[in-house]
Amino acid sequence: MWDHEIRAMASAHAIIAASVFMATVLPAAAVQGFSVYGTHLLWLYSVSGAVTAVSVAVFWLLGITPPTKKHTVGYKLSRLFRSCLYFFLSCLFFHTVVVLYGAPLIESALETFSLSVLLTSLTTLRCLCVLGPNVQAWIRVFSRHGAMSVWDTGLQITVACTLVGAWIGAFPIPLDWDRPWQVWPVSCSLGATIGFLTGLVAAPAWIHSHRKQLTYKCK
Amino acid sequence: MKKLPVLSLLLWVCAVYFVGIYLFVGGFLLVRLEVNRTSTCGDVLQPGEEPADFCRVRPRFRRAVLLIIDALKIDFAWFDPNNTSPRPYENKLPVLEETVTSRPSHSRLYPFRADPPTTTMQRIKGFTTGSLPTFVDVGNNFASSAILEDNLIHQFGQVGKRVVFMGDDTWENLFPKKFHRSLPFPSFNVKDLHTVDNGILQHLYSTMVGEDWDVLVAHFLGVDHCGHRFGPDHPAMADKLTQMDGVIRSVIDRLQNDTLLVVMGDHGMTDTGDHGGESQKETDAAIFLYSPSPLFPGPPTQSEPDVVPQTDLVPTLALLLGVPIPYSSVGQVLLPVFPPHGQTGGAVGGLSQLEALWINAKQVNRFLETYSGMAKDIPPESLSQLKSEFSRLSSDYLATVRDGRPPSPRLAASLQAYLTSVRATCRATWARFNPLKMAAGLAILAFACLTCFIVSELSLVLIRESGPGLKPPVAVAFIAGVCVAVVQIGKQGYVEASWCLAAAALSSELLFLWRARRYRAVPVEKNGSKALKSPSWLTPRRLLIPPLLVPLLRCASLLSDSYVIAEGRAVTFLVFSLALYIPIHLNWDGLLLPPSHDPLKAAGFLPSPALSPSTVRKESGTLLACLGVLVGSLYLSLSFHACREEQGSCQPSPFLSPLARLQDNQLKNLHYVLSVLSLGLWTYLLKRCLRHYGNLNASSGAVFTARWILPLTSVCLALHWAVGATPEDSFRNLSELIGLAQLALPRAAFCLLGLGLFLIWLDPLTVFIKPKATTPTRGQSQTPPRYRASTGISTQAELHHLIPQIYQRMRRSLDDGEQVVGSEVDSSPAVKAYGLGTVYSAPLLLFCGMLGIGLLLLHPEGMALSFLLLLLEMGALLHMHASSTTLRGLHGTFSADFNVPWTPVVLWSLAATQFFHATGHLPTFPSIQWGAAFVGFPDGHTGTVLPASLVTLNTFASHILFSVGCPLLLFWPLVREVRGSRGGRACGDEGEDAVMEMRLRENPQRFTAALLQLATRYLFILGAQVFSSVCAAAILRRHLMVWKVFAPKLMFEASGFLVSSVSLLIGVALVLRVDVAVGGWFKRLIPEASR
Ligand SMILES: [Zn+2]
Ligand SMILES: [Zn+2]
């Protein structure tokens, strides 16, 4: 039914996934001693940056972002400002949640905040791209009948996969294996990234296989 | 309401669980009583009965060196010159073989067989006491790990030998302050192969050349740690063993003539490098004896033992070094080191074989008599056999000595046989896992969990008595138990109760399950709403929902030592996750936000249009606010945790130490004020809640408790803390008064608590009726209440009509304010009842609150904060559950059942575990708060029952509170029922008023079913946790951490289950008691109102 959109989504996801890989591989060539564990924060910010830039570009090019009603520069600027604000607020929100989940409060605040930046760029940013800075719409999307387009469904799947990935990523931390990836927050950010990549693959696949059952209200 | 089926079903389920736990624990945990008597030099054990001082005889050796190489398996010690390509662990200790061949009368190498459990601590205990240490050595040292039983180190100290120790710091814990000099090194880090060994090597040789020692003990850990880390088949093991070879060589070079060298392993290891179990690879270590002066009469002969049991080291060493044999030793002297009779001239001051055997036999017989006087676990028939055997031998021996004739070799052999059979008897009693019992326990527990799950699914059918009843299973259980008993009597002559119980439990479970299979289709016909799910109640789709996934994760986490160590945080993590799931799931179903938010959406999508947007917004707000409270208390509760020794960089909570121990006065005052504030808040919140629902108006026992006893107890508690915190030297003249207060205040609190709980039980109704003065006249003019037309209608039907009426009136008067407002409209009711809407939950809440204060009394003062968090979290959970029930519209219609879904039940049970940790407890024995036994009894106790129960109450405080409060989950959605929400839909003239808990009385069957379901669901989750920790102990019984982590965890989980299930039964029984009282109240009301 929405073959065209599914194809568009698949290619957009492929590009975003590629950007994650590039963000892992390119700095390794450029920066001395770069590794996912060793210089974890560097990798983390490189992935967040890449995903942010590429998603914004892709969704803007595809024209998914809800059309603005007014075309004045001022309105656009305020929208941009609001988006940035939401981005930052969402970082704080994730930081709080992660701390409440048991992350150290003071000792590794930078690591925790970096993880929340990564989570924000993998989840909130996509909400911003697809739905605009509208929290009510975000909440609405995450309900059974809340999705109004293929993109909304894709958003649901990737966000859920990312968060579940980060959640599962916390499991190995208490184990006494002494591996480099058990250090906070490596396993969580790896989990989130792997979850995100899984979501990128799963979303078009799931939509494709369920295209008969899916019905959307028009926007 | 049917009380009996509920209680009997719950009792049956609990009993089955208990049998499973009992069987498993009986097969897994080896228990032995410690004999706390010591041998002395003056003991009459010498040959010939003449009293001679043991210790003055000049012994064979003046000094001894004990080199203990942890996990020195016998395979490591053999040397095979024909082996051209040895494995990393083979042929690496050539020094042993070289010495044995070159100096056969100076040295021997034997396999050295340890008794399970083959863990280092138990083994050290074993080869110093000569006994068979088990996991639980019940004695007076339960709190510390120090050995109080008579042992070699103690005996050395008694005769003035200077014992120098170096190596594994376990020794330092086992023998605190017993060594002349001690150099312990940390043994905890298994990955560290060299710290301990290098530490020893730095000091070993210099100590040996010095004269400042008589017995030198050096315990090397490298080989064991290498095994744990790499396994035996690894080049690192070759290096380690080669190093040990060098150590032994250097030690032999430095030995003097009067010194005995013993090189030994404490246990072996499996092919993966682990130990703890009973396989031959784990039990067979090596022992190598050497002395520069001739030790043995000659080269090895045929009569030499193939294997030396580990217990034999103790009597041998004792007699060689001239100290008394430790009292509880069951070992047998190693005969080859003693010269045969008549050849004693060569070795100065030594004993002959027969003399040594005789001393040994007398000592063992003395121990056996003492032990059998204390404990009854040795089978009586073998005991009497051993006794008669000893008296025969003793008369034989005495006759031989008296006559002065050469002893027959038969006598020595039968003395040996006697000692061997004593040890075999003891071992059979103490030191053997019983895999059959363990398997039976596992099976019973597994089936019990399944039964519990099925009972919870079929609760309605069971209550309607159309389902599988309880009578046939119980009958079958009885028959099976009796059959097994009869068979046992026929075959063995005596009855072993555990197997009868096992047969009974298993057969009744299986019969119940078999009968339940047929009944699973019943609800389809009975109840339309259940038609969809009932046929498939065991499909993965229904079981793999997050609320069941979380307990699954929890159970899985019990199988890993890391997660057990980090249990407190792991459980908090799970609680937080599941709590977040509630709003997310609600939002997913589109129920969190009012539908008006999205006008485009068709109304048909929303399953619950009944709630107005403002109600939805209010309920969602409550839900999120309670989530906030929950998360906040979860986060704060993390700061009340204690620390395990395995958690390296952990700081125990400052609130855990009693106030009296705080030095800083300001800090002390702050802590005191905080604790008293929390206590006050606890009391205030409880009273506030009761007053809010109009439960404080009546004049019943429960209300009296709430009004007077509860605050009075709190005051007692606060005073008690104040007295306890006063520094002893500041009020010298008041010391007597303080002592009295320390005794009297907690006892007064205990008495008040007992009185309060008793009053609640006796008179639980908190309903206040106010009949109107004008009732008789008004009754005529009014439309006659329907219960007046009682002639011809059964009481049941009357009640059915009566309730809403009374209730409606009561509610209306409540609306007007707490107190009665004078003016009533004409249509106003004849009777007003206050607090009827919370008639069930109010006593339960009060009961929990009183219990909470009592349990707080047993904790350190600072824990008051944690208890307050517990109350807040309880409240938040209840409110979240109520709000989500309202939002889901589950109680939308009168026909709805009152089922409590899995999510709140799981949260409730996880919160119990979470607060177990947040009240400063840990599943380890050293962390038990023994101070609780002395609250109110500062001078100690005479019996053991009272202190044990006080400590139990302290340890499982949160389990008790949450289990007793469990039925609140059923009531809270009704208590918090949204009034007027279904005004449009309410049928007939029952009005727009909410009926709260009276709804339960309208539907007694569903009420009973829901109560049963709730209780069995809670039991299921608890039982699943017990099952998984039982599995952990069974599967991982070879694990390095089994006696440190898994076995204590199993004990705590099992006793926690016991305490929880009993408390749950108390909670359910209280609800049933209230129900009886309510029934009686209505009966009394009817004649009164219809007058
Ligand atoms: Zn060991
Ligand atoms: Zn070991």
Side-chain angles (χ1 to χ4, degrees):
Chain A
M1 221 192 299
W2 309 284
D3 283 348
H4 169 71
E5 278 182 311
I6 293 174
R7 231 172 289 135
M9 179 186 279
S11 42
H13 283 186
I15 293 170
I16 297 173
S19 79
V20 173
F21 282 115
M22 296 310 275
T24 313
V25 175
L26 277 186
V31 183
Q32 272 285 300
F34 178 88
S35 73
V36 174
Y37 310 144
T39 54
H40 183 67
L41 292 189
L42 196 63
W43 172 81
L44 198 152
Y45 281 113
S46 124
V47 168
S48 325
V51 170
T52 311
V54 172
S55 316
V56 169
V58 164
F59 284 103
W60 183 64
L61 284 175
L62 280 171
I64 305 303
T65 317
T68 49
K69 286 163 206 130
K70 295 178 223 158
H71 289 274
T72 60
V73 179
Y75 182 75
K76 279 189 175 162
L77 272 182
S78 94
R79 215 175 135 81
L80 188 67
F81 172 73
R82 279 216 329 253
S83 300
C84 291
L85 182 72
Y86 280 13
F87 190 90
F88 180 67
L89 284 181
S90 141
C91 288
L92 286 186
F93 172 75
F94 276 120
H95 187 99
T96 319
V97 169
V98 170
V99 165
L100 286 175
Y101 256 116
L105 182 62
I106 300 160
E107 280 158 51
S108 38
L110 178 66
E111 280 83 356
T112 312
F113 191 74
S114 309
L115 174 67
S116 58
V117 168
L118 178 73
L119 286 175
T120 305
S121 59
L122 297 184
T123 58
T124 315
L125 184 84
R126 213 181 145 98
C127 291
L128 278 170
C129 288
V130 176
L131 302 166
N134 177 359
V135 178
Q136 274 176 5
W138 297 0
I139 295 174
R140 188 258 307 153
V141 157
F142 291 102
S143 68
R144 198 189 303 269
H145 306 289
M148 293 192 175
S149 69
V150 173
W151 294 100
D152 287 359
T153 312
L155 177 71
Q156 283 176 354
I157 294 173
T158 46
V159 168
C161 285
T162 310
L163 294 182
V164 169
W167 185 71
I168 291 176
F171 288 9
I173 294 175
L175 293 171
D176 57 354
W177 297 344
D178 282 345
R179 295 294 151 85
W181 48 266
Q182 283 180 289
V183 179
W184 175 253
V186 180
S187 57
C188 278
S189 46
L190 282 183
T193 314
I194 291 167
F196 180 65
L197 292 176
T198 318
L200 289 183
V201 177
W206 191 86
I207 295 170
H208 184 75
S209 64
H210 287 74
R211 62 188 183 281
K212 297 269 157 42
Q213 291 101 302
L214 281 176
T215 48
Y216 293 118
K217 298 262 119 197
C218 56
K219 267 198 184 168
Chain B
M1 172 159 185
K2 290 168 188 154
K3 276 128 213 142
L4 215 57
V6 179
L7 273 184
S8 55
L9 261 168
L10 286 179
L11 271 176
W12 174 67
V13 169
C14 288
V16 169
Y17 271 120
F18 292 169
V19 170
I21 292 174
Y22 170 72
L23 270 176
F24 183 86
V25 168
F28 176 73
L29 287 184
L30 319 160
V31 180
R32 182 183 66 110
L33 279 182
E34 274 180 8
V35 175
N36 52 356
R37 292 176 55 177
T38 49
S39 307
T40 57
C41 292
D43 286 345
V44 187
L45 294 172
Q46 289 290 58
E49 288 287 354
E50 71 273 18
D53 198 331
F54 212 103
C55 313
R56 273 198 220 120
V57 180
R58 203 173 148 213
R60 272 290 278 294
F61 290 98
R62 192 167 65 81
R63 309 205 285 185
V65 177
L66 256 80
L67 290 189
I68 297 145
I69 300 174
D70 206 290
L72 180 71
K73 199 178 175 180
I74 183 64
D75 297 4
F76 299 170
W78 296 132
F79 186 84
D80 180 9
N82 303 325
N83 191 346
T84 47
S85 54
R87 309 205 58 85
Y89 59 88
E90 283 174 335
N91 287 0
K92 292 299 181 299
L93 292 172
V95 59
L96 306 180
E97 177 69 19
E98 280 167 21
T99 320
V100 169
T101 1
S102 62
R103 315 187 70 181
S105 59
H106 293 254
S107 59
R108 285 286 189 284
L109 173 66
Y110 298 113
F112 192 39
R113 184 160 292 164
D115 300 289
T118 48
T119 53
T120 303
M121 204 228 271
Q122 261 78 17
R123 285 305 95 226
I124 295 176
K125 273 185 167 185
F127 61 69
T128 51
T129 61
S131 183
L132 304 166
T134 57
F135 169 57
V136 191
D137 293 332
V138 184
N140 35 9
N141 63 334
F142 211 47
S144 82
S145 52
I147 299 183
L148 295 185
E149 229 175 354
D150 195 9
N151 58 68
L152 271 183
I153 307 294
H154 173 79
Q155 291 298 346
F156 289 145
Q158 288 294 306
V159 301
K161 285 191 188 291
R162 293 158 294 174
V163 184
V164 175
F165 165 74
M166 49 188 77
D168 183 352
D169 59 0
T170 315
W171 285 75
E172 191 57 39
N173 302 328
L174 291 176
F175 304 100
K177 300 193 191 109
K178 290 270 184 187
F179 298 117
H180 176 64
R181 206 144 60 80
S182 141
L183 298 160
F185 299 97
S187 64
F188 182 65
N189 187 0
V190 176
K191 302 218 165 71
D192 174 8
L193 304 190
H194 300 299
T195 305
V196 177
D197 294 6
N198 293 346
I200 296 172
L201 291 181
Q202 267 184 8
H203 302 282
L204 180 64
Y205 305 132
S206 56
T207 310
M208 271 189 75
V209 271
E211 277 299 315
D212 190 26
W213 61 279
D214 294 306
V215 177
L216 179 73
V217 180
H219 192 139
F220 293 90
L221 271 184
V223 173
D224 176 62
H225 283 190
C226 185
H228 286 300
R229 187 157 180 207
F230 302 113
D233 215 354
H234 191 278
M237 185 61 91
D239 297 345
K240 205 73 223 177
L241 288 173
T242 310
Q243 185 193 14
M244 288 302 124
D245 187 67
V247 172
I248 298 169
R249 275 174 209 278
S250 322
V251 170
I252 287 180
D253 289 344
R254 288 173 174 80
L255 282 181
Q256 290 173 358
N257 271 344
D258 59 352
T259 312
L260 172 72
L261 169 69
V262 181
V263 179
M264 63 185 204
D266 56 345
H267 47 75
M269 62 170 76
T270 59
D271 293 338
T272 54
D274 297 319
H275 55 88
E278 53 201 320
S279 73
Q280 202 177 345
K281 283 184 170 151
E282 292 156 281
T283 55
D284 278 14
I287 185 167
F288 171 75
L289 298 165
Y290 172 81
S291 164
S293 58
L295 178 62
F296 295 89
T301 55
Q302 284 296 317
S303 63
E304 300 248 328
D306 291 335
V307 172
V308 176
Q310 211 172 54
T311 46
D312 292 4
L313 182 69
V314 169
T316 311
L317 271 187
L319 293 187
L320 285 179
L321 287 162
V323 297
I325 303 177
Y327 199 94
S328 345
S329 161
V330 291
Q332 181 185 137
V333 286
L334 188 59
L335 276 193
V337 299
F338 294 96
H341 199 73
Q343 297 178 20
T344 41
V348 194
L351 299 153
S352 76
Q353 286 187 353
L354 196 65
E355 283 166 337
L357 273 175
W358 171 242
I359 297 175
N360 196 198
K362 274 198 81 173
Q363 169 266 328
V364 164
N365 177 58
R366 181 182 63 170
F367 165 71
L368 207 59
E369 276 177 3
T370 319
Y371 188 84
S372 59
M374 285 166 54
K376 299 278 169 273
D377 50 359
I378 299 179
E381 62 271 27
S382 42
L383 205 61
S384 59
Q385 208 175 339
L386 287 173
K387 259 186 195 150
S388 61
E389 173 75 6
F390 178 76
S391 57
R392 192 178 62 77
L393 286 172
S394 117
S395 59
D396 262 18
Y397 177 83
L398 291 178
T400 313
V401 171
R402 206 172 37 240
D403 302 354
R405 55 189 151 97
S408 68
R410 245 196 38 245
L411 182 59
S414 36
L415 274 170
Q416 262 185 302
Y418 167 74
L419 288 169
T420 311
S421 60
V422 170
R423 194 181 50 220
T425 313
C426 291
R427 183 177 290 152
T429 320
W430 298 328
R432 193 161 294 164
F433 288 132
N434 191 334
L436 209 58
K437 267 193 188 174
M438 282 162 67
L442 266 175
I444 290 176
L445 277 177
F447 282 120
C449 287
L450 187 63
T451 313
C452 223
F453 187 79
I454 284 170
V455 170
S456 82
E457 293 292 315
L458 292 182
S459 61
L460 194 60
V461 187
L462 282 166
I463 290 303
R464 285 190 172 154
E465 263 185 317
S466 54
L470 202 55
K471 272 178 205 145
V474 170
V476 164
F478 187 72
I479 295 169
V482 169
C483 282
V484 170
V486 167
V487 169
Q488 278 181 341
I489 287 179
K491 273 191 151 177
Q492 318 168 326
Y494 63 96
V495 181
E496 215 175 332
S498 50
W499 287 115
C500 304
L501 285 174
L506 208 57
S507 59
S508 72
E509 272 174 346
L510 291 177
L511 185 72
F512 182 87
L513 288 176
W514 175 252
R515 284 161 56 90
R517 254 171 60 90
R518 290 189 294 139
Y519 280 97
R520 88 184 181 194
V522 168
V524 185
E525 303 144 27
K526 291 253 169 194
N527 187 344
S529 68
K530 267 199 167 182
L532 279 175
K533 49 184 183 181
S534 285
S536 56
W537 44 251
L538 278 180
T539 56
R541 221 186 142 74
R542 272 204 71 201
L543 291 180
L544 282 181
I545 48 173
L548 284 183
L549 204 64
V550 166
L552 195 70
L553 281 176
R554 158 93 182 115
C555 291
S557 79
L558 290 174
L559 292 168
S560 152
D561 57 326
S562 310
Y563 284 116
V564 175
I565 289 170
E567 192 189 30
R569 310 210 77 167
V571 170
T572 315
F573 180 90
L574 289 179
V575 173
F576 187 35
S577 303
L578 195 58
L580 275 188
Y581 166 78
I582 294 178
I584 290 175
H585 189 221
L586 274 173
N587 187 49
W588 176 250
D589 290 339
L591 298 169
L592 191 63
L593 292 181
S596 61
H597 259 301
D598 190 15
L600 286 173
K601 193 184 287 178
F605 277 130
L606 285 170
S608 163
L611 297 175
S612 65
S614 66
T615 322
V616 172
R617 224 168 282 136
K618 197 173 134 245
E619 288 294 321
S620 309
T622 320
L623 182 73
L624 294 180
C626 287
L627 183 66
V629 173
L630 176 72
V631 168
S633 41
L634 275 179
Y635 189 72
L636 290 179
S637 77
L638 285 179
S639 55
F640 293 95
H641 283 201
C643 288
R644 290 179 75 113
E645 57 174 313
E646 289 91 345
Q647 294 169 310
S649 61
C650 168
Q651 280 295 320
S653 159
F655 296 100
L656 271 170
S657 59
L659 277 186
R661 241 180 262 164
L662 283 182
Q663 294 302 322
D664 186 355
N665 259 339
Q666 230 164 351
L667 197 66
K668 194 190 256 185
N669 289 343
L670 180 72
H671 274 209
Y672 181 72
V673 169
L674 276 179
S675 306
V676 171
L677 268 183
S678 338
L679 180 65
L681 254 178
W682 169 283
T683 318
Y684 170 75
L685 284 176
L686 274 175
K687 283 190 76 169
R688 176 71 226 270
C689 177
L690 292 175
R691 178 167 303 135
H692 179 74
Y693 290 107
N695 291 109
L696 289 184
N697 299 314
S699 56
S700 70
V703 177
F704 178 75
T705 307
R707 298 187 126 182
W708 300 109
I709 298 185
L710 185 66
L712 207 59
T713 322
S714 312
V715 171
C716 265
L717 206 54
L719 284 177
H720 169 59
W721 290 341
V723 170
T726 1
E728 292 198 351
D729 43 353
S730 59
F731 300 101
R732 224 170 266 284
N733 39 353
L734 289 180
S735 62
E736 261 183 43
L737 196 67
I738 288 177
L740 187 70
Q742 257 170 345
L743 195 73
L745 281 171
R747 288 192 183 181
F750 282 136
C751 291
L752 283 173
L753 275 172
L755 181 68
L757 297 182
F758 176 70
L759 279 179
I760 296 175
W761 186 267
L762 199 69
D763 190 8
L765 280 193
T766 51
V767 185
F768 175 61
I769 329 161
K770 173 136 186 162
K772 283 200 76 165
T774 48
T775 303
T777 51
R778 183 101 30 97
Q780 302 304 320
S781 64
Q782 207 182 332
T783 47
R786 266 167 297 173
Y787 54 76
R788 291 197 123 208
S790 62
T791 42
I793 304 178
S794 70
T795 23
Q796 198 62 37
E798 281 174 355
L799 290 182
H800 188 78
H801 291 297
L802 175 70
I803 303 143
Q805 293 237 349
I806 289 179
Y807 189 75
Q808 186 181 341
R809 288 153 200 173
M810 183 222 79
R811 193 71 218 180
R812 199 166 294 146
S813 47
L814 262 189
D815 283 346
D816 299 341
E818 307 285 18
Q819 298 306 315
V820 194
V821 179
S823 63
E824 292 275 339
V825 217
D826 253 6
S827 62
S828 74
V831 176
K832 280 175 284 193
Y834 294 89
L836 191 58
T838 50
V839 67
Y840 291 103
S841 50
L844 199 58
L845 198 65
L846 192 59
F847 198 84
C848 280
M850 292 292 290
L851 260 186
I853 288 188
L855 296 172
L856 179 55
L857 177 59
L858 300 175
H859 280 81
E861 295 86 348
M863 284 298 119
L865 289 166
S866 168
F867 270 72
L868 183 69
L869 289 179
L870 184 148
L871 189 72
L872 286 178
E873 186 169 325
M874 253 187 177
L877 278 175
L878 287 172
H879 276 77
M880 281 176 76
H881 167 50
S883 294
S884 88
T885 310
T886 316
L887 285 173
R888 290 196 172 275
L890 282 182
H891 291 319
T893 52
F894 281 93
S895 64
D897 34 19
F898 309 106
N899 290 352
V900 181
W902 279 107
T903 314
V905 185
V906 171
L907 275 174
W908 200 255
S909 70
L910 286 181
T913 314
Q914 182 223 330
F915 272 102
F916 171 76
H917 289 269
T919 44
H921 298 288
L922 289 170
T924 58
F925 292 116
S927 72
I928 293 179
Q929 302 178 356
W930 297 101
F934 301 103
V935 176
F937 301 91
D939 308 324
H941 300 263
T942 44
T944 52
V945 178
L946 192 62
S949 44
L950 285 179
V951 170
T952 310
L953 285 176
N954 161 287
T955 306
F956 298 107
S958 90
H959 288 90
I960 294 173
L961 283 177
F962 276 95
S963 306
V964 170
C966 188
L968 285 175
L969 284 173
L970 172 61
F971 302 129
W972 219 252
L974 297 164
V975 170
R976 297 243 315 119
E977 186 174 62
V978 181
R979 254 176 296 144
S981 62
R982 49 193 76 80
R985 284 189 305 155
C987 38
D989 50 356
E990 305 213 297
E992 71 278 11
D993 279 328
V995 219
M996 295 169 79
E997 287 170 9
M998 281 302 103
R999 213 181 277 291
L1000 295 169
R1001 273 201 72 82
E1002 289 166 31
N1003 238 329
Q1005 252 185 5
R1006 287 189 185 279
F1007 174 27
T1008 323
L1011 190 63
L1012 179 65
Q1013 186 184 45
L1014 175 65
T1016 40
R1017 281 189 170 174
Y1018 194 69
L1019 278 179
F1020 170 74
I1021 292 164
L1022 294 178
Q1025 289 178 24
V1026 174
F1027 178 68
S1028 90
S1029 61
V1030 161
C1031 281
I1035 298 167
L1036 302 168
R1037 61 183 187 280
R1038 299 260 155 79
H1039 193 274
L1040 171 68
M1041 289 290 176
V1042 71
W1043 302 109
K1044 241 187 153 127
V1045 173
F1046 293 113
K1049 179 67 196 148
L1050 166 68
M1051 298 276 275
F1052 274 81
E1053 200 66 54
S1055 13
F1057 178 84
L1058 246 69
V1059 174
S1060 301
S1061 53
V1062 170
S1063 317
L1064 183 70
L1065 284 175
I1066 292 177
V1068 170
L1070 182 65
V1071 170
L1072 300 179
R1073 166 80 190 88
V1074 176
D1075 195 60
V1076 171
V1078 172
W1081 182 78
F1082 273 115
K1083 269 204 192 107
R1084 263 182 287 126
L1085 195 69
I1086 294 161
E1088 197 178 300
S1090 50
R1091 219 185 294 136

